Amino acid sequence: MYKLIAIDIDGTLLDKNKSVSQNTIKCIRALKQDYKIVLISARMPKAMRHIQSDLGITDYPIVAYNGGLVLHQNKILSHTGIDFQTFSEILQANHDLNLHLSLYHNDEWFAPQKDHWSRREVANTKAEPEFKSNEAVLEDWKMYNKEPHKIMCMGDESKVEQFYQRLSQHYNNKLHLYRSKPTYIEMAAMQISKLSGLQVLLQKIYKDIKLDNILAYGDNYNDVEMINKVGLGVAVENAKDEVKAVADDYTQSNIEHGVANHLQKLFNL
């Protein structure tokens, strides 16, 4: 029944060391000949490829930036960014708060300065940023028509909450605002999601696969729509209640290698 396995990365696939366990690698490598295995994440592509490599699935697509960028063997199948007017207004709205805003387009990541937040993201993702002011990046990207696939806000919890409320009032119809942590806001264009990223794959390269043929794993708010709509949506034990509410099945936490455990049981590995 299942032909494609979609797996979120942070909080779902990775263990406490931000790595894939040997047990998980063994499971995925046992399945990859018979099933399409797609990593699907808010991460940028280069923060996903080393995980693909560990799992031995570099021939399969990736859905990056919560569906904002869909790639297959480095070919762009779909990309949707935040429009320049909204991008500029977000920067203006941050002037008095001076929160860290990291800016992402495809494999480019620009951080405003080397600080606690950029170092934390490097540790989490094993990707390295370039350092440039937000305003300079805006001007450069306008010149080359590169809209940001993601804007990541990081900072003091109270200021981040203030910024979230400010953005929610004005951009609810233009932006997805994901609160992955109290100190984070991840921003992406409203018209994309992990589900829309999967639909791109079904329309463009896996035309014999339907949503009902997809098995998906997730843990956070940005996984809810995907988990709700696929054939079998599985929530890890540490998932948000909103994910668990729409899931068809459950497994152990990411720290307990829940994805591998569920795959072993489902496919008799």
Side-chain angles (χ1 to χ4, degrees):
M1 179 179 177
Y2 305 116
K3 298 179 180 179
L4 188 152
I5 304 169
I7 312 174
D8 170 56
I9 293 176
D10 295 287
T12 302
L13 182 67
L14 301 187
D15 61 21
K16 63 182 179 181
N17 299 315
K18 298 290 182 184
S19 302
V20 283
S21 69
Q22 287 304 310
N23 194 27
T24 302
I25 291 171
K26 183 179 177 181
C27 286
I28 296 298
R29 292 191 176 207
L31 293 168
K32 69 177 184 176
Q33 300 303 325
D34 298 315
Y35 302 91
K36 317 299 182 188
I37 300 175
V38 177
L39 298 183
I40 186 161
S41 174
R43 289 181 173 216
M44 65 193 303
K46 70 180 178 184
M48 300 171 70
R49 289 195 187 98
H50 65 91
I51 301 168
Q52 265 198 319
S53 180
D54 289 345
L55 295 171
I57 55 169
T58 53
D59 288 343
Y60 286 127
I62 56 175
V63 178
Y65 298 123
N66 288 319
L69 181 64
V70 184
L71 300 170
H72 182 42
Q73 297 177 355
N74 291 324
K75 178 185 176 183
I76 295 174
L77 300 181
S78 173
H79 68 97
T80 305
I82 298 168
D83 68 88
F84 287 116
Q85 180 65 35
T86 302
F87 180 14
S88 179
E89 291 172 6
I90 290 167
L91 301 190
Q92 289 291 328
N94 183 46
H95 270 179
D96 61 321
L97 297 171
N98 197 31
L99 290 160
H100 176 116
L101 297 184
S102 270
L103 309 174
Y104 298 83
H105 174 88
N106 203 326
D107 268 333
E108 297 179 55
W109 168 23
F110 286 97
Q113 66 270 334
K114 188 177 288 188
D115 57 13
H116 163 75
W117 303 105
S118 58
R119 287 190 292 270
R120 183 171 177 172
E121 280 304 292
V122 169
N124 286 342
T125 65
K126 298 182 172 66
E128 293 281 348
E130 296 181 56
F131 297 100
K132 187 181 287 190
S133 74
N134 291 158
E135 290 73 16
V137 176
L138 171 63
E139 293 308 311
D140 286 350
W141 283 0
K142 273 186 178 178
M143 188 182 304
Y144 295 103
N145 196 31
K146 294 179 178 179
E147 294 178 339
H149 289 121
K150 182 174 81 168
I151 300 174
M152 173 89 90
C153 168
M154 296 173 275
D156 171 78
E157 187 173 337
S158 61
K159 283 188 176 183
V160 168
E161 176 61 25
Q162 185 179 345
F163 195 43
Y164 178 77
Q165 294 302 327
R166 188 177 292 180
L167 294 173
S168 296
Q169 289 175 11
H170 299 286
Y171 300 103
N172 254 351
N173 63 338
K174 284 191 170 185
L175 293 174
H176 279 299
L177 301 170
Y178 298 113
R179 298 296 300 275
S180 50
K181 296 174 184 168
T183 52
Y184 281 54
I185 308 169
E186 295 182 37
M187 306 171 217
M190 176 57 78
Q191 60 267 43
I192 58 93
S193 67
K194 290 187 177 183
L195 180 65
S196 74
L198 286 175
Q199 289 170 327
V200 167
L201 295 181
L202 304 192
Q203 291 162 7
K204 296 199 172 181
I205 58 172
Y206 297 137
K207 297 180 181 180
D208 62 328
I209 298 178
K210 308 298 182 189
L211 284 177
D212 283 348
N213 304 130
I214 296 177
L215 162 64
Y217 295 89
D219 76 303
N220 217 327
Y221 300 117
N222 54 348
D223 297 311
V224 169
E225 187 182 23
M226 172 180 73
I227 294 295
N228 189 34
K229 295 294 186 180
V230 298
L232 184 65
V234 183
V236 288
E237 192 273 332
N238 53 292
K240 302 292 186 187
D241 290 341
E242 289 82 351
V243 182
K244 292 178 177 177
V246 299
D248 303 300
D249 204 358
Y250 309 92
T251 188
Q252 292 89 354
S253 72
N254 63 311
I255 293 173
E256 298 170 297
H257 317 297
V259 171
N261 296 341
H262 192 270
L263 290 171
Q264 285 174 328
K265 182 178 178 182
L266 186 64
F267 294 106
N268 297 314
L269 298 177

